[in-house]
Amino acid sequence: MNADAAGITGTGRAPGPVLIPGSFDPIHLGHIDVVDQALELFGEVVVGVLYNPEKQSGMFTPDERADLVAASLPGRPGVSVRTFSGLAVQAAADAGAAFIVKGVRNAEDFLIEHQMALTNHSVTGIRTVLVPCAADRGFISSRYIREIASRGERISHLVAEPVAAALAARFSGSS
Ligand code: PNS
């Protein structure tokens, strides 16, 4: 299929937004790099905070995560944030997304994302674009941020300021 038949415009950009799905509990500098790469490639990005309504888990609620995503991505008119329950393919359809975009930090991420990409394509035909995380951010993970912040150590070099403030408030007992 050529680019025109695929609906890709002369600018090389996808028609409509792309979806970046994730837990974002919380969003960190690695995620922000992936959003910026997707913005550069596709021009319009929906960041989807995915959650399972049957499993109340995580540090922040889905709405808190979405608020922190928005607060961590100022000055990017092509970016919007939504929460979604259910499957990534349903979120992509709800968002009118042309593609799913995911960041890949390492070989382990690649194996997981490769399987998810092929599974999601088999379900609805949606394609996933994998982008490499920035070399200096590929070690960052939300799980370790939660663990380190909960023990009072510094995480401000790993997250945007609103997330550092939210974590500090959470663990000082004022939120
Ligand atoms: O930030 P995470 O935890 O790596 O995000 C993983 C997420 C939420 C994107 C992934 O688990 C996902 O897509 N979950 C939604 C459920 C789903 O679509 N499952 C089928 C995957 S093939």
Side-chain angles (χ1 to χ4, degrees), residues 20-25 28 31 48-52 65 84-91 100 102-103 105 109 112-113 115-121 123 142 146:
I20 303 182
S23 307
F24 301 107
D25 189 29
H28 56 62
H31 294 130
V49 176
L50 266 61
Y51 66 98
N52 181 345
R65 295 176 204 182
F84 297 94
S85 61
L87 296 172
V89 290
Q90 291 165 339
I100 293 170
K102 301 291 289 288
R105 291 171 294 192
D109 274 0
I112 294 166
E113 297 302 342
Q115 184 178 20
M116 273 201 272
L118 295 181
T119 305
N120 285 333
H121 180 256
V123 175
S142 297
R146 292 194 300 270

Side-chain angles (χ1 to χ4, degrees), residues 43-122:
E44 194 181 346
V45 174
V46 176
V47 180
V49 176
L50 266 61
Y51 66 98
N52 181 345
E54 277 125 49
K55 267 200 249 161
Q56 280 301 328
S57 61
M59 172 167 291
F60 294 104
T61 67
D63 284 343
E64 287 171 335
R65 295 176 204 182
D67 288 346
L68 288 172
V69 169
S72 297
L73 295 167
R76 293 169 177 82
V79 177
S80 60
V81 187
R82 290 173 57 181
T83 59
F84 297 94
S85 61
L87 296 172
V89 290
Q90 291 165 339
D94 289 352
F99 305 117
I100 293 170
V101 173
K102 301 291 289 288
V104 177
R105 291 171 294 192
N106 50 40
E108 190 184 343
D109 274 0
F110 176 78
L111 292 177
I112 294 166
E113 297 302 342
H114 179 249
Q115 184 178 20
M116 273 201 272
L118 295 181
T119 305
N120 285 333
H121 180 256
S122 77

Side-chain angles (χ1 to χ4, degrees), residues 28-35 37 102-106 109-110 113 130-141:
H28 56 62
L29 296 188
H31 294 130
I32 292 172
D33 170 59
V34 173
V35 171
Q37 289 193 54
K102 301 291 289 288
V104 177
R105 291 171 294 192
N106 50 40
D109 274 0
F110 176 78
E113 297 302 342
L130 302 181
V131 299
C133 292
D136 59 346
R137 299 185 186 191
F139 67 94
I140 307 174
S141 87

